Amino acid sequence: MDLSYTPEEEEFRARLREWLAKVLPGLPPKPSPDDWPGRRAYDLGWQRMLYDAGYAGLHWPADAGGRGATPTQHLIFLEETEKAGAPYVGANFVGLLHAGPTIAAEGSAGQRARWLPPVLRGEEVWCQGFSEPDAGSDLAALRTRARRDGDDYVVNGSKIWTSHAEVADWCELLVRTDAKAPKHRGISWLAMPMDAPGITVRPLRTLAGSTEFAEVFLDDVRVPVANRVGEENDGWRVTMVTLSFERGTAFVGEVVACRRVLGELAREARKNGRWDDAVLRRRLGRLNAEFRALWRLTQWNVSESERSGGVPGVGGSVFKLSYSRARQDLYDAAADVLGPEALDLDSRWTLDRLSSLSYTIAAGTSQIQRNIVAERILGLPKGR
C-alpha cells in the first residue's frame, strides 16, 4: 500500500481546492428536505457544475465519458469536496456511484453511449431496484419475475427501499428470468425507464421523517431486452460488480465527515465541561483511532483497486462492516457530549443519529458483510 502522494496528485489537489473556493460561495441555498423536485434540481445543478469543470465521473474510464483518473485522485476528490463542505451527489448517487460504474464496466458500447453521458451531465437520475419485501437480506431470493415476450421483458413484482424512486428517470432493476435455475443463476440486470406504464411508486417515511426510499410496484411493465446489461441469467455476477462499487468507495466522503464531526464533539466537550470525564475522553480517542484506521483501510482498498483495473474488491466489505459500527458509536458518543440537545428532534445531531442506525442495513447488512469476509477473505466454509 502506497500512502504517499505524487507531485502530480498534490497538484491535482491544489487545483481542486482553488476551484472549490471559487464556486462554493456562489451556490444557491439548499432546498427543504421535503422538496424533492427542488432537491433533484439542486443536486443535478451541482453535477452540471462538476461536469463543466471537468470533475464529473472523475474515476470513470475515458471511453465511458470520465476523466480516467486514478483511484487515488478520486480519493483526493472525495476528501477535498467533503472538507470544503461541497454538496454530496444526493439524488444522483445511484447513477454516479452504482449504476453508472456498472454500465461502464459491463455495458455494451450502445448502452454506455445512451446512459452514461446524461448521468455525468446531471440530466438523468437513477434509483436502485434490488431489495424486496420478502427477500430480507438474501438478495438472491428475489421474486420479481421477467417473462420474455418478443423484444421485451414483461415484469411483475415489487421492490422496497428504492432510493429516490419518486424523482428517478431510470431504475437498475434485478429480476428473475429463470425460475427453475438455482437462485443465484436465474437473475438478470435491467435498466427500467421509470415512466413506463404499470409502475406505481409509494414513498416510505423514515424514522427521521424523510422519504428517501419508496416501495415500487410493477404490473406488466415492459422493458426492452436491449436494456439488459450482461447476458440473461448472468445478473448476479453483474450485481456483484454493482455492490463492489457500493461498498468499496461510496462511503469514503462520509469517513471524512465523521472525522470532522468528531472534532466538533471534542470542541463542544471542552466548552461544556464534559472533557473532564476521563471515560469520555478515552471514548473519543478510541473513535479518533478507528476513523484514522478506516481512512488507512480506504487507502489500502484504493491501492488494490488500482491494481485490479478500477473495480473495488471484497475489502470493501471489511470497510463497510467496520464503518457502520463506528458511525453508530460516534453518534452515541455525541449524545453523551451534548446531553438533552441530542434529543431535540429539530437538531441535525438527532437526525444524523437516527440516520446512523440504517448503516448496518444499507448496502448489505452487517450479517451479510461478515459472511463475505468469512468466506471470501478468510476462506472459512459456508454455514449450513
Side-chain angles (χ1 to χ4, degrees):
M1 175 174 64
D2 185 2
L3 301 182
S4 62
Y5 295 103
T6 66
E8 292 78 14
E9 288 164 347
E10 291 294 1
E11 182 183 354
F12 170 79
R13 186 193 300 273
R15 289 198 306 270
L16 175 60
R17 284 180 177 177
E18 182 181 358
W19 180 77
L20 290 169
K22 178 182 178 181
V23 301
L24 290 180
L27 290 182
K30 290 184 179 180
S32 164
D34 294 328
D35 179 9
W36 275 106
R39 288 179 65 176
R40 173 188 161 116
Y42 181 87
D43 294 339
L44 294 188
W46 171 245
Q47 179 61 28
R48 182 68 199 206
M49 291 177 68
L50 292 173
Y51 179 82
D52 290 341
Y55 290 116
L58 192 68
H59 61 304
W60 288 19
D63 62 0
R67 281 187 54 176
T70 67
T72 299
Q73 288 176 317
H74 183 219
L75 186 66
I76 291 171
F77 172 81
L78 294 173
E79 181 182 15
E80 293 300 326
T81 51
E82 179 58 43
K83 283 182 177 179
Y88 184 56
V89 289
N92 207 21
F93 86 92
V94 173
L96 281 168
L97 304 181
H98 307 162
T102 302
I103 293 169
E106 298 290 334
S108 67
Q111 291 171 338
R112 287 151 65 104
R114 166 59 187 88
W115 288 313
L116 298 184
V119 170
L120 293 177
R121 292 193 298 259
E123 295 171 353
E124 292 182 345
V125 170
W126 285 67
C127 62
Q128 187 179 80
F130 283 13
S131 299
E132 295 190 2
D134 296 325
S137 297
D138 186 5
L139 181 59
L142 63 90
R143 298 181 182 178
T144 295
R145 297 286 302 275
R147 173 179 56 84
R148 184 76 175 261
D149 181 25
D151 292 332
D152 292 332
Y153 289 109
V154 180
V155 182
N156 286 277
S158 65
K159 298 291 178 177
I160 199 167
W161 311 125
T162 307
S163 303
H164 306 325
E166 61 268 50
V167 293
D169 303 291
W170 293 91
C171 177
E172 52 171 353
L173 184 72
L174 289 188
V175 295
R176 187 160 298 284
T177 42
D178 186 350
K180 297 180 181 179
K183 65 179 186 179
H184 290 86
R185 298 179 183 174
I187 295 171
S188 297
W189 196 107
L190 305 180
M192 180 179 70
M194 288 298 289
D195 60 355
I199 299 176
T200 301
V201 176
R202 183 184 300 166
L204 293 169
R205 193 163 296 278
T206 68
L207 185 65
S210 58
T211 56
E212 282 91 355
F213 309 106
E215 294 178 286
V216 177
F217 300 93
L218 309 170
D219 184 15
D220 286 341
V221 179
R222 301 188 76 89
V223 179
V225 173
N227 287 18
R228 187 189 67 230
V229 175
E231 298 298 321
E232 186 170 280
N233 300 325
D234 191 34
W236 185 255
R237 184 192 60 79
V238 177
T239 300
M240 292 303 100
V241 174
T242 302
L243 295 180
S244 72
F245 286 109
E246 185 174 27
R247 297 162 185 168
T249 56
F251 295 107
V252 169
E254 298 193 36
V255 174
V256 180
C258 285
R259 294 178 69 180
R260 173 175 47 77
V261 168
L262 186 59
E264 292 179 23
L265 288 178
R267 289 190 291 273
E268 180 61 29
R270 289 186 175 95
K271 286 170 53 180
N272 66 16
R274 293 288 289 134
W275 193 251
D276 296 334
D277 186 337
V279 173
L280 178 64
R281 290 201 307 272
R282 284 195 295 271
R283 187 176 187 183
L284 296 181
R286 178 182 58 79
L287 282 167
N288 181 53
E290 286 202 38
F291 283 114
R292 287 173 65 89
L294 280 168
W295 186 248
R296 293 308 192 194
L297 178 58
T298 296
Q299 291 177 307
W300 184 86
N301 285 336
V302 164
S303 296
E304 286 292 292
S305 178
E306 286 192 280
R307 285 191 285 271
S308 65
V311 177
V314 292
S317 289
V318 178
F319 172 86
K320 168 63 170 55
L321 182 62
S322 300
Y323 171 73
S324 299
R325 177 184 53 77
R327 184 183 175 95
Q328 290 188 4
D329 290 347
L330 172 65
Y331 283 98
D332 284 346
D336 285 347
V337 172
L338 299 171
E341 182 185 343
L343 301 177
D344 182 356
L345 293 179
D346 293 325
S347 166
R348 72 174 178 90
W349 294 100
T350 304
L351 296 178
D352 286 345
R353 190 183 187 198
L354 293 175
S355 175
S356 75
L357 300 176
S358 69
Y359 280 74
T360 51
I361 300 173
T365 66
S366 291
Q367 291 86 348
I368 293 296
Q369 306 306 326
R370 291 188 184 98
N371 283 344
I372 293 173
V373 171
E375 296 169 10
R376 301 187 192 177
I377 298 178
L378 300 179
L380 298 177
K382 291 186 177 182
R384 295 180 180 273

